[in-house]
Amino acid sequence: MTKTPDDFPRFSLAHLPTPLLEMKRLRHALEKRANRELPRLFIKRDDCTGLASGGNKTRKLEFLIGEALAAGADTIITTGALQSNHARQTAAAAAAAGLSCVLVLFDSVPYRGHAYRSSGNLLLDRLLGAEVRIEEADADAGEVFRKLFREIEGRGGKPYFVPVGGSSAVGSLGYAAAYLEIADQLEVLSISNAALVHASSSGGTQAGLIAGAQIRPNGPAVIGINVYRADNHRMAEDIHALACKTAEILNVPLPELSAVTLEGGFLGERYGIPTEAMKEAVELTARTEGVLLDPVYTGKGMAGFLAKAVAGDYAKQDAAVFLHTGGMAGLFAYEGEF
Ligand SMILES: Cc1ncc(COP(=O)(O)O)c(C=O)c1O
């Protein structure tokens, strides 16, 4: 029998539904640039999920923490880069659930801004009570986690591992549910044909949205902006595999590979390294809508969203929605850029 995300263990963390707001001033600014009318532009405010400055991981963590609690875990382990938003939200989710949290952060982004190693998400991780362990970029991750599991189990603890970005099938359930929420909100606005654009990295957000579209056909078309990997094709295949796993646990038909649209032109030099288009998108969104994006994910994602609007890519749609996945805390780690 087909399941819905409501059939899985869930620990409530997010303020839902998040608002879906029209961006009229941003649209007018773009219309001047494009010299023609554009479709309506909206922003889905998942930066307002409410947990320690919000973001997309909160929705995933509702299901991941739900599973951890059901398994009787007492310690959450997760991983990411030094300025991982996912790590910060996991630290907050663990605190809210009364669990311990160990963050293993790999020093993998060659960004040398002075605040990168002390401020932004790292500051918040510590404030939220997580134990932060920093590893060299080339450390053997398998060995690091084996040792950590042994250490926690050796003192009688029960660890639960959350994969990078919270991107497992269980985590992706959060975005299958989000897809249904967005489709409902668009229906209320009588918008039947929309593009839904977002920054894609570890892939759980996009995989979940695609799985959600298997529950609710005729919802918005999902378009990921790759902010993570140089090999766009391989990343799309991995997202497809995760979308299939998510569809499998929901017992809905598996999506085709063609359901994964991943734009590869907005990453720049590499993950975590600023681009001019990102800076321009962050500033334009702040100054037209009063909305704060981040330098690593939503800034590059919005750069893609804007470029596609100006290029006429949404011409056949009634509206285009940018899914704001959070990350604002990362701005403070990149303060020299703005
Ligand atoms: C602010 C923000 N946006 C987007 C993403 C990408 O989401 P996903 O890893 O599910 O692809 C992340 C992931 O860390 C993020 O922190």
Side-chain angles (χ1 to χ4, degrees):
M1 213 175 66
T2 301
K3 292 186 180 171
T4 74
D6 291 339
D7 295 321
F8 292 81
R10 187 168 184 172
F11 181 76
S12 173
L13 292 164
H15 301 174
L16 300 177
T18 57
L20 178 70
L21 305 173
E22 188 155 9
M23 299 191 285
K24 286 189 182 164
R25 284 178 45 79
L26 181 61
R27 177 182 166 198
H28 288 150
L30 292 186
E31 284 178 335
K32 275 197 196 146
R33 218 178 266 185
N35 216 3
R36 68 188 142 72
E37 251 191 56
L38 295 178
R40 296 172 77 186
L41 303 179
F42 289 84
I43 187 161
K44 171 67 174 166
R45 297 293 304 270
D46 268 18
D47 57 319
C48 299
T49 47
L51 181 70
S53 86
N56 60 339
K57 309 307 174 189
T58 307
R59 288 190 192 259
K60 298 178 180 183
L61 284 159
E62 289 204 337
F63 292 94
L64 293 160
I65 297 288
E67 185 176 74
L69 291 172
D74 61 9
T75 306
I76 304 294
I77 300 172
T78 199
T79 185
L82 291 194
Q83 284 298 332
S84 167
N85 298 301
H86 160 69
R88 180 245 313 154
Q89 283 174 85
T90 303
L99 303 170
S100 301
C101 182
V102 183
L103 302 176
V104 180
L105 304 180
F106 289 88
D107 195 356
S108 55
V109 177
Y111 183 73
R112 297 289 162 229
H114 78 277
Y116 188 83
R117 280 166 177 72
S118 54
S119 185
N121 284 297
L122 256 183
L123 168 72
L124 300 182
D125 295 341
R126 295 191 168 113
L127 183 64
L128 291 161
E131 183 189 336
V132 178
R133 298 188 182 188
I134 294 178
E135 297 285 344
E136 295 297 321
D138 59 357
D140 177 345
E143 188 47 31
V144 168
F145 293 120
R146 272 191 295 279
K147 261 181 148 166
L148 181 55
F149 265 74
R150 277 202 299 273
E151 181 189 320
I152 293 169
E153 284 166 352
R155 58 175 187 247
K158 185 150 189 223
Y160 175 91
F161 183 74
V162 174
V164 69
S167 288
S168 61
V170 167
S172 298
L173 288 172
Y175 272 87
Y179 188 87
L180 306 179
E181 183 180 303
I182 295 166
D184 282 348
Q185 287 174 321
L186 289 170
E187 201 172 287
V188 169
L189 294 167
S190 303
I191 293 170
S192 57
N193 180 14
L196 175 61
V197 181
H198 67 94
S200 198
S201 168
S202 64
T205 301
Q206 191 163 1
L209 292 170
I210 291 168
Q214 297 297 101
I215 305 175
R216 173 88 176 251
N218 308 320
V222 178
I223 300 168
I225 306 290
N226 176 358
V227 302
Y228 191 42
R229 275 162 66 175
D231 189 337
N232 198 63
H233 183 70
R234 285 281 300 279
M235 180 162 153
E237 285 178 344
D238 289 350
I239 291 170
H240 177 244
L242 184 54
C244 286
K245 282 188 198 152
T246 312
E248 239 168 61
I249 62 171
L250 286 164
N251 208 17
V252 293
L254 304 189
E256 303 286 340
L257 179 59
S258 59
V260 183
T261 303
L262 187 65
E263 301 277 349
F266 300 93
L267 170 65
E269 188 187 324
R270 60 183 285 175
Y271 169 80
I273 300 297
T275 63
E276 283 310 310
M278 173 281 286
K279 288 190 226 176
E280 210 223 325
V282 170
E283 288 177 356
L284 184 66
T285 310
R287 291 169 192 180
T288 53
E289 297 293 338
V291 171
L292 299 172
L293 302 172
D294 84 285
V296 178
Y297 301 95
T298 52
K300 289 183 181 177
M302 181 61 93
F305 179 76
L306 300 180
K308 287 174 73 59
V310 172
D313 288 6
Y314 315 129
K316 291 197 185 116
Q317 267 130 351
D318 308 331
V321 180
F322 181 72
L323 171 57
H324 188 339
T325 42
M328 190 265 277
L331 275 176
F332 300 101
Y334 285 79
E335 63 180 29
E337 301 296 332
F338 301 98

